[in-house]
Amino acid sequence: MSSDQDHLKETETEARFEFKKEESSAFKTEKGLTEETIRVISEDKDEPEWMLERRLRALKQFQQMPMPTDWPGQPDLSEVDIADIVPYIRPDIETRGGAEDWDDLPEEIRDTFDKLGIPEAERNALSGVGAQYESEIVYQNMQEQWEEKGVVFCDMDKAVQEHEELVKEYFMTKNVPASDNKFAALHGAIWSGGSFVYVPEDVTVQMPIQAYFRMNSEGMGQFEHTLIIAEENSEVHYIEGCSAPKYSHFNLHSGGVEVFVGEGAHVQYSTVQNWSKNTYNLNTKRAIVEKDGTMEWVSGSMGSKATMLYPSSVLKGPGATDNHITIAFAGEGQNIDTGAKVYHNAPNTKSTIESKSISKDGGRTNYRGLVHIADGAENSSTSVECDALMFDNESTSDTMPYMEIQESKVDVAHEATVGKIGDEDVFYLQSRGLDDDDAKQMIVAGFIEPITEELPIEYAVELNRLIELEMEGSLG
């Protein structure tokens, strides 16, 4: 490929994420978080009284909880002032709950998702797709063949109205309660949008379901909620993409994810998050896995100013399995604090955690993890592997694993490595005809391969390209 073609490819990839649109909203709350704000959001969504009550309880819990400040090496959150955030922006579209045809969307929103490649992805290899712009879903569609089998894929606001009993039973009750942490409480108070997925017993959704979340406005917060219920012996792969343009003022992303994996079911949750460097990414994600069920987390985190993200799984039933594969990238001025938590609460359970991190130009990555094996969870096993790659002496990579082992009949393994890109490796690749940059990019591509091979091809290519751009310092 010629250098001109290379430049065009880079420009197109950057343009997919760095562009921004003029704000156009049908409804927008004032900055800050008050009881009146919560009531206004709930009224605008025409929610049942029980949901408003849950929001108000979460608000009180948020107000009572201190900001986390005493974790060793945690990202600096002093800039995060909720009073300076716009918590809710409803985009200006005619159809509440999302259009079913791309052509029904306003041109500026349609153009946004065209640039991100969402319609093309839907046509090529997806069972269903949803797209959120600001605080609400603007497009949602599910292939008819899965609807006929009872699979539900809709936005959370619609689920509250049309699948009320399921949502009332599962929404922030037994998986991620608002009392879990300060940002879970914030999320419970002002959540908006997100995805609801229900897969009936013995149904395998053979192609992935995708949702894409885009923050466009400066100084806003996005608080989508994803609820996945996979009944006994079902299977589904949910893919999530996230991005935002760069502004001078900070943005906040505080999403919530709850996954329920039924007996013998299999759920894979894959996410590639490419937030801008003015975004604080503070999420709570958790799965409850029943007997012989399998949960897989595959995630790539980059771009944000600070990330605190630790997907967790509770292995509730005998034979339950959990696999985590994560990649984090930190450049100048970034502190990407990620990891995983696994709770072995039954015998014969198994977990694996594979964490990869890359830091350059003084950036910091950190693996922060917890593995808990309860008394009585005999014959359980866990393996944690953390690999870090640093580009220079100014960058930092830390590993903070924590093991709570209360049962003696278990198998526990942990391994951590930290290294720099070796001159010998670069020299060898240069001797094979590559220049310095291409040699380093090839080394990084090999380093993250365990993650990219778990993603659909278009996401694997995108993740590799995003990391290349981060290495070049091209993304804002």
Side-chain angles (χ1 to χ4, degrees):
M1 182 179 288
S2 70
S3 59
D4 287 344
Q5 289 173 310
D6 282 336
H7 176 72
L8 178 61
K9 179 182 176 183
E10 291 173 12
T11 302
E12 289 174 346
T13 307
E14 291 172 53
R16 285 186 60 190
F17 299 98
E18 289 298 281
F19 67 92
K20 59 188 72 170
K21 297 286 186 179
E22 292 294 324
E23 182 184 316
S24 177
S25 60
F27 181 79
K28 177 179 178 180
T29 61
E30 298 294 326
K31 289 183 178 181
L33 183 58
T34 64
E35 180 175 328
E36 179 61 25
T37 301
I38 303 303
R39 291 185 180 278
V40 166
I41 293 173
S42 188
E43 181 179 358
D44 189 62
K45 293 176 176 292
D46 193 26
E47 291 179 339
E49 186 66 23
W50 63 265
M51 180 56 79
L52 173 60
E53 291 173 357
R54 289 190 189 181
R55 287 184 182 274
L56 294 174
R57 283 201 302 270
L59 173 63
K60 289 182 180 179
Q61 290 170 312
F62 171 77
Q63 292 170 334
Q64 294 167 358
M65 291 181 182
M67 184 75 80
T69 57
D70 57 352
W71 293 17
Q74 75 165 69
D76 180 10
L77 303 180
S78 60
E79 187 185 12
V80 180
D81 182 2
I82 305 304
D84 204 24
I85 280 286
V86 177
Y88 180 66
I89 300 176
R90 172 156 53 87
D92 189 10
I93 63 171
E94 293 183 5
T95 307
R96 295 298 297 271
E100 295 183 356
D101 192 306
W102 287 107
D103 292 335
D104 293 337
L105 293 175
E107 182 178 354
E108 68 273 12
I109 295 180
R110 189 171 65 247
D111 181 60
T112 294
F113 289 105
D114 281 342
K115 283 186 169 69
L116 294 168
I118 308 306
E120 180 182 359
E122 178 185 18
R123 287 193 296 268
N124 291 343
L126 295 171
S127 294
V129 65
Q132 179 157 331
Y133 191 84
E134 313 294 30
S135 298
E136 291 203 350
I137 292 290
V138 294
Y139 176 82
Q140 194 93 37
N141 194 25
M142 185 77 187
Q143 287 190 6
E144 189 175 332
Q145 61 174 313
W146 304 118
E147 290 181 342
E148 291 175 351
K149 293 184 178 182
V151 177
V152 178
F153 176 47
C154 66
D155 70 273
M156 275 302 303
D157 295 301
K158 185 176 182 179
V160 170
Q161 305 293 340
E162 298 187 4
H163 305 280
E164 184 174 354
E165 292 307 310
L166 275 174
V167 176
K168 190 173 183 179
E169 178 183 356
Y170 286 99
F171 182 89
M172 300 192 77
T173 52
K174 42 194 166 186
N175 199 337
V176 181
S179 59
D180 189 82
N181 62 76
K182 188 173 182 67
F183 289 101
L186 173 66
H187 174 86
I190 53 178
W191 75 271
S192 182
S195 300
F196 176 78
V197 179
Y198 176 81
V199 186
E201 183 177 341
D202 296 324
V203 173
T204 296
V205 183
Q206 295 172 337
M207 294 184 293
I209 294 171
Q210 177 185 354
Y212 201 97
F213 302 98
R214 175 73 173 181
M215 272 195 293
N216 180 69
S217 298
E218 182 174 12
M220 77 162 291
Q222 192 172 74
F223 307 94
E224 81 285 346
H225 191 92
T226 298
L227 175 58
I228 300 173
I229 304 169
E231 298 284 16
E232 185 175 341
N233 295 320
S234 65
E235 186 170 345
V236 66
H237 182 187
Y238 179 88
I239 305 174
E240 170 192 86
C242 310
S243 68
K246 183 179 180 181
Y247 290 101
S248 58
H249 194 69
F250 82 94
N251 282 22
L252 173 63
H253 177 251
S254 186
V257 175
E258 299 183 284
V259 184
F260 294 86
V261 184
E263 186 173 328
H266 185 168
V267 176
Q268 179 171 332
Y269 190 105
S270 302
T271 179
V272 176
Q273 301 193 0
N274 179 43
W275 299 110
S276 58
K277 291 182 175 64
N278 62 296
T279 300
Y280 287 83
N281 185 28
L282 311 169
N283 296 322
T284 305
K285 301 183 177 185
R286 185 171 299 136
I288 294 178
V289 189
E290 301 290 349
K291 178 182 177 183
D292 296 326
T294 299
M295 181 67 204
E296 296 187 72
W297 299 95
V298 181
S299 60
S301 299
M302 63 196 73
S304 63
K305 184 171 184 177
T307 287
M308 295 177 73
L309 176 60
Y310 322 100
S312 62
S313 292
V314 179
L315 304 183
K316 184 180 177 182
T321 299
D322 176 75
N323 300 314
H324 281 80
I325 304 177
T326 67
I327 174 72
F329 188 105
E332 181 180 2
Q334 294 178 282
N335 191 338
I336 310 300
D337 201 285
T338 59
K341 298 179 182 180
V342 185
Y343 299 86
H344 293 254
N345 290 348
N348 302 306
T349 51
K350 180 181 178 181
S351 68
T352 61
I353 299 172
E354 184 174 2
S355 172
K356 302 276 189 179
S357 65
I358 304 167
S359 52
K360 69 184 288 284
D361 297 333
R364 178 182 183 269
T365 58
N366 180 44
Y367 167 81
R368 192 186 303 269
L370 167 67
V371 174
H372 173 90
I373 301 182
D375 183 22
E378 59 183 19
N379 300 319
S380 293
S381 66
T382 183
S383 173
V384 181
E385 182 179 344
C386 304
D387 299 319
L389 188 63
M390 294 187 293
F391 273 70
D392 48 62
N393 294 328
E394 291 73 38
S395 299
T396 305
S397 180
D398 296 316
T399 302
M400 299 180 181
Y402 189 52
M403 303 280 191
E404 295 177 340
I405 312 300
Q406 300 174 349
E407 169 61 50
S408 59
K409 297 179 181 179
V410 295
D411 185 7
V412 178
H414 176 262
E415 178 183 350
T417 62
V418 179
K420 292 178 64 177
I421 291 184
D423 293 338
E424 293 180 359
D425 295 331
V426 175
F427 178 77
Y428 171 77
L429 292 172
Q430 287 177 322
S431 72
R432 311 297 291 184
L434 298 180
D435 63 23
D436 184 73
D437 289 340
D438 287 341
K440 290 178 179 177
Q441 288 174 3
M442 180 171 286
I443 292 170
V444 169
F447 180 72
I448 67 170
E449 185 178 3
I451 292 166
T452 56
E453 67 185 7
E454 293 295 323
L455 294 169
I457 184 63
E458 65 273 13
Y459 267 76
V461 170
E462 196 65 70
L463 181 59
N464 271 308
R465 186 64 195 130
L466 285 171
I467 288 179
E468 287 177 20
L469 288 170
E470 289 281 5
M471 289 170 61
E472 297 163 6
S474 300
L475 288 178

